[in-house]
């Protein structure tokens, strides 16, 4: 991006080049990466593989050939995957420069493959692994060439029926391994690939989001995580760590996966990694089954030759661990003597290091970063650490950190010149803290504040109050192309993003406190924040306030609509939110509502409430149900829902909109038949932004964002009913 945007708009957000995490070479003199750019003029996306020369800070194109993905260093050249006809995948190697003819196809995989990993073995031979789907008999699955059934019917006798945005099929993800050998004439040849999970009943990477972070390879073998095959994945989060010793990546291992036993830990496992020499391994694991936001704890396998020997780090007698933070990922330093951890902490994604020789006793981790959000970590032979990350104003930054002098990191590259190409400045972003509803977990609640780039302290600005999803999630100092606070700020709002009870990064107790409290403590935190803003931020006009949220944030919009705060807001926007708690029984990962609402609804009927605010005898499924309060719905509301959202089904959005319309509340319904829980397609996302901004701007006195009818969509409704209650006559009795 060389041209500064005159104003940061949704078009700028969605058409800006999206840069991948950087892959430095051994001495960090060059950085390999990809960018994808969508054009609203051509309506096409272009993906480029590029290399950055660190000294000159100049980037040059390696290739923009269609289908190329996942480039990695291979000596002074690269190796990558290329999607080709009939659903096949080529493994391609070549130099950094030159034409397409310089690239050699080392081998072809007869199906879609991804998550490429390579490790050097000996004599120029490389171990290679990818993930690809396998049929029930363990053979490679290619959906384009597989026989097509004559009927579309699907019969199930267990969960899952569908997951995230797809119906479950018999095929499973698998890890496939082999070798890449270099001949005397310099050409590489891919061996036959072996399914490491054939006949095991295991699936890795774990759908729907597992990827390269779910497995690792080394000269010792393969380490990976998979859901426990003896438990139903829709009702359990329990994952196991497995190690497959492999003496040769050319032939099938004579050993099956060895389950790594972790006593008293029954939750999800993640981030399995080897040390560079393949002699050690590490991973993260949670104690509690059924709770996906439990605290991650750190485990070492000091000698993979004896994978039964594991060492918990920073552990405690009560099992909670001595470190308050919950790491998101773990990796080894290049020498294998330190562990680096990414951690969400107080709205930031920070990098920590556990000092050398951690297995000689627990040592307190120390910071290597203090700001922004780290998304990827690469450890170099020099001992330095290469970091990829972002902030609320910068969509991609590369840093080089010397762990012995972390206070002065070197900025290698900023994709947006620290936000300048977007017309954004770091001075727009600040933080506030306000009183918490429950001082026993945290005395104060944190929130991010994003002001317009042309902010004038003599003026008052309407409030856009953004509530995050999860609910065990957070607003952080990181870039987003789906919910970007700066887009709303540049419309003329002061945007405030609170992290109420249930948010991650503020201690496990604060995260856990939302259990059976969905509309209790978090709602009171949000009310406290609104009151604090009104009393302490004179630049905010709380008489012109709107609130928006997705997923749990969408639930909270529906909850606010039926409660007092709803009457203080000019408009609400609900994206894929819960309307009725019983609607969550149509969801796929049932362990989630079962945990957060205190059990299955047939087990706790009539249970006494734990709420400090409601004092109800209803069970949590009914107590925190927005549909129980629809008699109070009166604030104008935009409802958005996607038909491929199998986590929160389309009936939730339709129900909310139908209630609003039947009550005569000004409302709109936006639906995307081809999107899941998120809106990912650029053209759809642009429409999403146009409709949302047009809707909220109308109620706070800001100019219409887009002049096209209904944000660029043809209005598909009939007669609009605004400002009157619809009366229905049934069986001779009048019902309002």
């Amino acid at each position: 991006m060389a041209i500064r945007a005159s104003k940061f708009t949704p078009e700028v957000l969605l058409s800006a080049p999206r840069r991948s995490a950087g892959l430095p070479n051994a001495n960090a003199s060059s950085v390999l990466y990809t960018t994808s750019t969508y054009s609203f003029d051509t309506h096409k996306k272009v993906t480029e593989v590029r290399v950055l020369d660190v000294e000159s800070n100049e980037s040059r194109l390696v290739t923009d050939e269609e289908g190329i993905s996942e480039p990695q260093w291979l000596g002074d050249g690269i190796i990558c995957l290329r999607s080709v006809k009939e659903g096949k995948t080529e493994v391609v190697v070549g130099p950094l420069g030159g034409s397409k003819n310089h690239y050699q196809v080392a081998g072809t995989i007869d199906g879609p493959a991804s998550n490429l990993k390579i490790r050097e073995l000996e004599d120029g031979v490389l171990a290679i692994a990818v993930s690809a789907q396998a049929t029930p008999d363990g053979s490679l699955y290619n959906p384009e060439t597989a026989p097509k059934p004559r009927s579309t019917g699907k019969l199930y006798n267990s969960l899952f029926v569908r997951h995230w945005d797809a119906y479950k099929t018999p095929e499973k993800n698998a890890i496939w391994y082999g070798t890449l050998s270099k001949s005397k004439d310099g050409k590489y040849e891919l061996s036959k690939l072996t399914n490491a999970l054939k006949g095991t009943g295991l699936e890795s990477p774990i759908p729907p989001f597992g990827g390269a972070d779910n497995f690792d390879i080394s000269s010792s073998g393969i380490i990976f995580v998979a859901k426990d095959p003896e438990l139903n994945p829709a009702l359990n989060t329990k994952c196991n760590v497995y190690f497959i010793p492999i003496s040769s990546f050319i032939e099938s291992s004579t050993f099956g996966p060895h389950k790594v036993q972790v006593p008293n830990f029954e939750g999800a496992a993640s981030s399995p990694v080897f040390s560079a020499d393949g002699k050690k391994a590490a991973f993260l694991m949670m104690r509690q089954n059924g709770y996906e936001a439990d605290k991650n704890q750190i485990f070492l396998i000091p000698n993979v030759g004896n994978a039964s020997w594991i060492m918990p780090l920073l552990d405690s007698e009560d099992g909670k661990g001595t470190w308050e933070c919950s790491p998101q990922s773990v990796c080894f330093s290049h020498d294998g003597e330190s562990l680096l951890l990414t951690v969400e902490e107080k709205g930031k994604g920070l990098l920590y290091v556990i000092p050398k020789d951690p297995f000689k006793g627990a040592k307190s981790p120390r910071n290597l970063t203090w700001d922004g959000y780290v998304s990827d970590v690469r450890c170099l032979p020099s001992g330095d650490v290469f970091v990829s990350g972002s902030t609320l104003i910068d969509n991609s930054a590369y840093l080089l950190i010397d762990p012995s002098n972390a206070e002065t990191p070197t900025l290698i590259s900023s994709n947006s010149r620290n936000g300048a190409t977007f017309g954004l400045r770091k001075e727009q972003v600040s933080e506030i803290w306000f009183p918490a509803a429950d001082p026993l977990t945290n005395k104060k609640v944190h929130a991010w504040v994003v002001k317009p780039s042309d902010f004038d302290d003599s003026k008052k600005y309407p409030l856009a109050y953004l509530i995050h999803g999860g609910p065990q999630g957070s607003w952080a100092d990181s870039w987003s192309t789906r919910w970007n606070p700066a887009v709303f700020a540049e419309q003329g709002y002061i945007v405030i993003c609170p992290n109420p009870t249930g948010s991650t990064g503020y201690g496990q107790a604060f995260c856990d406190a939302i259990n059976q409290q969905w509309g209790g403590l978090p709602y009171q935190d949000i009310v406290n924040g609104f009151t604090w803003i009104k009393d302490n931020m004179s630049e905010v006009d709380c008489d012109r306030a709107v609130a928006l949220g997705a997923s749990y944030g969408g639930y909270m919009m529906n909850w606010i609509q039926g409660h007092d705060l709803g009457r203080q807001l000019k408009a609400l926007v609900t994206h894929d939110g819960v309307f009725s708690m019983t609607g969550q029984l149509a969801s796929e990962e049932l362990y989630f509502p079962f945990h957060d609402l205190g059990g299955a609804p047939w087990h706790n009927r009539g249970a006494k409430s734990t709420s400090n605010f409601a004092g109800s005898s209803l069970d949590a499924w009914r107590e925190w149900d927005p549909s129980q309060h629809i008699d109070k719905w009166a604030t104008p509301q935009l409802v958005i829902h996607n038909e491929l959202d199998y986590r929160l089904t389309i009936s939730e959005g339709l129900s909310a909109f139908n209630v609003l319309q039947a009550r005569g509340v000004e409302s709109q319904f936006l639906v995307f038949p081809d999107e899941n829980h998120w809106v990912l397609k650029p053209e759809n996302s642009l429409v999403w932004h146009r409709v949302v901004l047009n809707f909220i701007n109308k109620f706070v006195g800001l100019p219409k964002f887009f002049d096209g009818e209904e944000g660029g969509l043809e209005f598909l409704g009939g007669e609009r009913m605004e400002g009157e209650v619809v009366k229905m006559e049934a069986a001779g009795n009048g019902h309002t």
Side-chain angles (χ1 to χ4, degrees):
M1 293 185 66
I3 302 173
R4 173 178 172 144
S6 59
K7 184 177 181 179
F8 187 57
T9 64
E11 290 88 343
V12 173
L13 169 71
L14 298 170
S15 60
R18 303 185 188 188
R19 188 168 71 170
S20 71
L23 295 172
N25 60 359
N27 63 5
S29 60
S30 298
V31 181
L32 191 64
Y33 64 96
T34 64
T35 62
S36 62
T37 307
Y38 187 84
S39 169
F40 288 103
D41 293 326
T42 63
H43 307 289
K44 293 181 179 180
K45 183 177 77 170
V46 175
T47 299
E48 298 178 340
V49 178
R50 305 189 68 87
V51 64
L52 174 70
D53 180 80
V54 172
E55 184 176 357
S56 66
N57 200 31
E58 292 184 356
S59 171
R60 62 187 175 91
L61 177 68
V62 176
T63 179
D64 59 359
E65 187 177 355
E66 188 175 353
I68 292 286
S69 65
E70 303 186 34
Q72 297 190 33
W73 290 104
L74 184 62
D76 294 330
I78 64 168
I79 178 173
C80 51
L81 300 178
R82 178 168 60 191
S83 300
V84 291
K85 294 180 180 179
E86 297 183 331
K88 298 180 180 182
T89 305
E90 293 177 342
V91 177
V92 179
V93 298
L96 284 178
S99 67
K100 296 179 182 179
N101 296 330
H102 286 82
Y103 290 91
Q104 174 222 335
V105 178
T108 300
I109 303 168
D110 290 331
S114 58
N115 300 312
L116 172 67
K117 294 207 172 190
I118 56 171
R119 295 291 184 273
E120 186 173 354
L121 296 175
E122 56 184 17
D123 300 329
V125 176
L126 297 168
I128 184 170
V130 297
S131 66
Q133 286 201 312
T135 62
D137 66 4
S139 59
L140 187 68
Y141 176 67
N142 185 334
E144 290 196 24
T145 58
K148 302 298 186 288
R150 295 184 181 276
S151 169
T152 59
K154 295 177 173 64
L155 180 65
Y156 297 88
N157 58 15
S158 67
L159 302 172
F160 292 115
V161 170
R162 55 189 190 177
H163 195 195
W164 188 247
D165 59 5
Y167 278 83
K168 292 295 287 181
T169 63
E171 294 75 36
K172 290 184 177 182
N173 290 341
I175 302 166
W176 301 75
Y177 68 88
T179 60
L180 197 64
S181 303
K182 193 173 185 180
S183 62
K184 292 182 180 180
D185 61 2
K187 292 185 178 180
Y188 284 92
E189 183 176 352
L190 178 69
S191 71
K192 178 183 177 182
L193 296 183
T194 298
N195 180 356
L197 307 186
K198 183 177 181 179
T200 65
L202 301 174
E203 182 171 25
S204 187
I206 302 171
F209 305 121
D213 59 332
N214 277 193
F215 70 98
D216 200 12
I217 65 172
S218 75
S219 56
S220 303
I222 300 174
I223 189 170
F224 66 96
V225 295
K227 282 288 192 84
D228 192 308
E230 297 181 2
L231 300 174
N232 191 295
L235 300 173
N236 299 272
T237 59
K238 189 177 191 303
C239 300
N240 300 320
V241 179
Y242 298 90
F243 171 63
I244 304 176
I246 301 177
S247 57
S248 168
F249 274 73
I250 298 176
E251 299 175 354
S252 299
S253 173
T254 57
F255 302 94
H258 167 77
K259 178 181 172 182
V260 178
Q261 301 290 342
V262 187
N264 302 317
F265 277 72
E266 300 294 324
S270 60
S271 195
V273 290
F274 286 111
S275 58
D277 60 10
K279 296 180 179 179
K280 304 170 188 173
F283 60 91
L284 304 175
M285 200 165 192
M286 299 176 180
R287 283 198 308 160
Q288 188 177 161
N289 185 18
Y291 184 26
E292 62 185 5
D294 197 14
K295 181 179 176 180
N296 269 322
Q297 299 196 46
I298 313 157
F299 293 88
L300 273 175
I301 304 176
N303 177 8
V304 296
N306 181 13
S308 299
W309 176 30
I310 65 166
M311 296 189 66
L313 295 185
L314 309 174
D315 58 326
S316 62
E317 290 185 3
D318 63 5
K320 296 181 179 180
T322 59
W323 196 29
E324 183 59 28
C325 295
S326 178
Q328 296 176 312
S329 70
V330 59
C331 67
F332 285 90
S333 59
H334 191 270
D335 62 11
E337 296 190 17
S338 301
L339 287 174
L340 290 95
L341 309 160
T342 59
V343 174
E344 196 170 68
E345 186 176 19
K346 297 179 181 176
K348 296 163 186 168
L350 306 182
L351 181 63
Y352 276 83
V353 62
I354 297 181
K356 290 186 176 183
D357 299 323
F359 15 89
K360 290 185 177 179
K363 297 183 180 180
S364 297
R366 63 179 176 87
N367 282 77
L368 292 183
T369 64
W370 287 263
D371 297 297
Y373 207 96
V374 173
S375 58
D376 191 74
V377 180
R378 305 284 166 167
C379 296
L380 306 178
S382 64
D384 289 346
V385 181
F386 181 92
V387 168
S388 301
S390 68
T391 69
L392 281 163
I393 61 156
D394 188 1
N395 68 346
S396 173
Y398 298 154
L399 301 171
L400 193 63
I401 298 172
D402 176 359
S404 64
N405 186 25
E407 290 81 4
T408 56
T410 300
L411 176 63
I412 290 178
S413 170
S414 167
N415 196 41
S416 67
R417 300 181 184 177
N418 294 313
T421 54
F422 297 135
L424 303 176
R425 299 175 293 108
K426 65 179 182 180
E427 291 79 14
Q428 291 177 244
V429 181
S430 58
E431 304 170 61
I432 60 173
W433 295 80
F434 53 81
D438 182 9
L440 295 179
T441 53
N442 270 334
K443 292 184 178 179
K444 294 198 172 185
V445 171
H446 174 244
W448 289 101
V449 179
V450 183
K451 297 179 179 178
S453 57
D454 59 355
F455 174 74
D456 182 344
D457 59 12
S458 68
K459 297 180 180 179
K460 292 177 76 73
Y461 296 82
L463 169 66
Y465 210 20
L466 271 55
I467 310 303
H468 67 68
Q472 294 90 357
S474 73
W475 292 112
D477 188 13
S478 63
W479 190 260
S480 173
T481 54
R482 290 185 292 113
W483 282 84
N484 191 301
V487 164
F488 297 92
E490 293 305 273
Q491 287 293 301
Y493 293 92
I494 289 180
V495 184
I496 298 184
C497 308
N499 286 324
T501 298
S503 298
T504 51
Y506 301 88
Q508 194 61 39
F510 190 67
C511 179
D512 294 345
I514 196 173
N515 185 262
Q516 301 181 65
Q517 279 286 320
W518 269 38
L521 292 172
Y523 172 73
Q524 192 59 46
D525 284 337
I526 292 166
V527 171
N528 289 358
F530 189 81
T531 302
W532 190 93
I533 295 163
K534 187 182 297 186
D535 294 342
N536 294 275
M537 298 182 69
S538 59
E539 66 272 31
V540 180
D541 185 355
C542 287
D543 291 329
R544 293 190 296 148
V546 296
L548 310 88
S551 195
Y552 173 79
Y555 159 87
M556 184 53 69
M557 294 304 103
N558 291 338
W559 184 259
I560 286 172
Q561 176 70 276
H563 290 79
D564 292 345
L565 182 58
R567 307 293 76 79
Q568 299 183 63
L569 301 170
K570 294 297 184 184
L572 300 167
V573 177
T574 296
H575 176 106
D576 287 6
V578 175
F579 170 76
S580 171
M581 283 302 193
T582 55
Q584 292 204 71
L585 293 175
S587 186
E588 10 88 288
E589 293 177 346
L590 285 175
Y591 60 75
F592 174 65
F594 287 1
H595 173 272
D596 270 30
L597 298 175
W602 51 87
H603 286 156
N604 66 342
R605 302 299 292 179
K608 292 293 183 181
S609 168
T610 58
S611 170
N612 295 325
F613 303 102
S616 170
S617 62
L618 299 176
D619 62 79
W621 285 79
R622 292 179 60 197
E623 182 177 4
W624 307 125
D625 187 338
S627 69
Q628 298 292 317
H629 305 278
I630 54 178
D631 58 308
K632 300 181 182 68
W633 283 30
T635 300
Q637 185 168 351
L638 167 64
V639 179
I640 307 169
H641 221 100
N642 304 330
E643 287 199 47
L644 293 182
D645 186 354
Y646 298 158
R647 183 145 299 181
L648 289 166
T649 60
I650 187 69
S651 61
E652 299 296 286
L654 284 168
S655 296
F657 178 66
N658 289 353
V659 167
L660 290 161
Q661 286 284 298
R663 285 183 56 80
V665 179
E666 188 169 354
S667 51
Q668 289 183 342
F669 182 64
L670 175 63
V671 60
F672 294 102
D674 56 346
E675 298 281 8
N676 55 36
H677 199 54
W678 303 327
V679 177
L680 300 177
K681 297 178 180 179
E683 300 284 354
N684 286 346
S685 184
L686 182 58
V687 168
W688 186 98
H689 281 88
R690 287 174 172 174
V691 172
V692 168
L693 295 176
N694 274 1
F695 188 82
I696 60 175
N697 286 5
K698 170 183 176 180
F699 295 100
V700 298
L702 289 176
K704 192 173 186 178
F705 168 67
F706 185 76
D707 288 334
E709 175 68 16
E710 303 301 326
L713 295 176
E714 180 183 359
F715 180 67
L716 300 176
E719 291 289 329
R720 302 196 197 199
M721 299 180 296
E722 298 175 358
E724 64 173 322
V725 174
V726 179
K727 296 183 178 180
M728 300 186 298
E729 302 292 332
N733 296 316
H735 299 274
T736 300

